[in-house]
Amino acid sequence: MAHSTYKLSHADLLDFPQDGKRHELIDGEHYVSASPTLRHQAVLRNLFVALHGFVKRRGLGQVFFAPVDVFLSDNDVVVPDLIFVRRKRLAILEDRFVRGAPDLAVEVISPWTRRTDLGDKRRAYRKFGFAEYWIVDSSPETVEVFRGEGDWQEPAARLSRAAGPQALASPLFPGLVLTLDQIFE
């Protein structure tokens, strides 16, 4: 006997209650997470302020922080903590969501999102062609960067504040030097 599994769609997502929680779909499966911690928000703020200022001064594109829906397919709608879309790709920005993979997605890990951020989201972001994915962990103050065409099993860069002064660099932001001290202050 064939086994069929119903996959939720974007239309289903629109019917969910506006309850202040983050609702996402990955391969038709519903993921929900509670409001983040203040530490999570402080780290996200630090990233946004640094990236937004750099991007705006150079006219590189647009930076947004959650909640912004990223529509990847009818069964894949995610809400990264922070996204960046290069200027030449701004057409993917629509009124209610981003249609397609942004150039960068950043997830600041929370205890209740760790497994999803490291597993299902990483695989989805790779599948849908995100240029980079940063996983920022405020405890133990690390950043893992996945980029390019690889399998994303291992990060292209792994930075740790415990290892001393380190800076994050990305081909998406030529000339940007973003220190871990700036991110985790």
Side-chain angles (χ1 to χ4, degrees):
M1 183 172 187
H3 174 67
S4 72
T5 303
Y6 178 76
K7 290 186 177 188
L8 294 173
S9 70
H10 183 248
D12 296 317
L13 190 63
L14 294 176
D15 287 337
F16 289 157
Q18 298 298 312
D19 58 7
K21 295 179 181 175
R22 186 180 303 188
H23 294 271
E24 301 175 282
L25 298 178
I26 300 175
D27 195 26
E29 187 174 335
H30 181 221
Y31 292 79
V32 62
S33 55
S35 297
T37 65
L38 290 178
R39 175 71 174 143
H40 174 283
Q41 292 301 85
V43 169
L44 180 57
R45 177 202 57 220
N46 295 344
L47 283 164
F48 176 78
V49 167
L51 290 177
H52 175 69
F54 185 86
V55 165
K56 186 174 181 180
R57 283 190 302 277
R58 289 161 181 77
L60 298 177
Q62 293 286 329
V63 179
F64 296 96
F65 55 87
V68 174
D69 287 353
V70 175
F71 183 95
L72 301 171
S73 78
D74 197 44
N75 302 114
D76 297 276
V77 181
V78 293
V79 185
D81 287 320
L82 184 142
I83 61 169
F84 165 69
V85 177
R86 289 183 286 180
R87 183 178 62 228
K88 70 181 183 180
R89 299 186 63 242
L90 290 178
I92 70 172
L93 302 179
E94 298 187 9
D95 186 46
R96 294 189 49 104
F97 52 79
V98 177
R99 185 178 296 275
D103 296 285
L104 168 68
V106 177
E107 296 289 359
V108 179
I109 291 180
S110 297
W112 48 87
T113 66
R114 174 178 300 279
R115 188 169 156 180
T116 303
D117 292 341
L118 294 171
D120 295 334
K121 277 193 173 180
R122 179 174 49 86
R123 286 187 292 279
Y125 293 172
R126 171 66 189 100
K127 173 183 173 183
F128 286 99
F130 287 55
E132 288 192 19
Y133 176 35
W134 299 356
I135 297 175
V136 180
D137 193 340
S138 60
S139 178
E141 298 186 333
T142 60
V143 178
E144 292 184 337
V145 177
F146 295 87
R147 99 173 29 108
E149 298 299 320
D151 62 9
W152 286 24
Q153 293 302 310
E154 288 296 320
R158 182 178 282 131
L159 307 169
S160 171
R161 196 168 184 196
Q166 294 185 12
L168 179 59
S170 167
L172 294 173
F173 311 104
L176 173 69
V177 177
L178 182 59
T179 69
L180 295 188
D181 287 344
Q182 286 174 282
I183 295 170
F184 296 114
E185 72 174 346

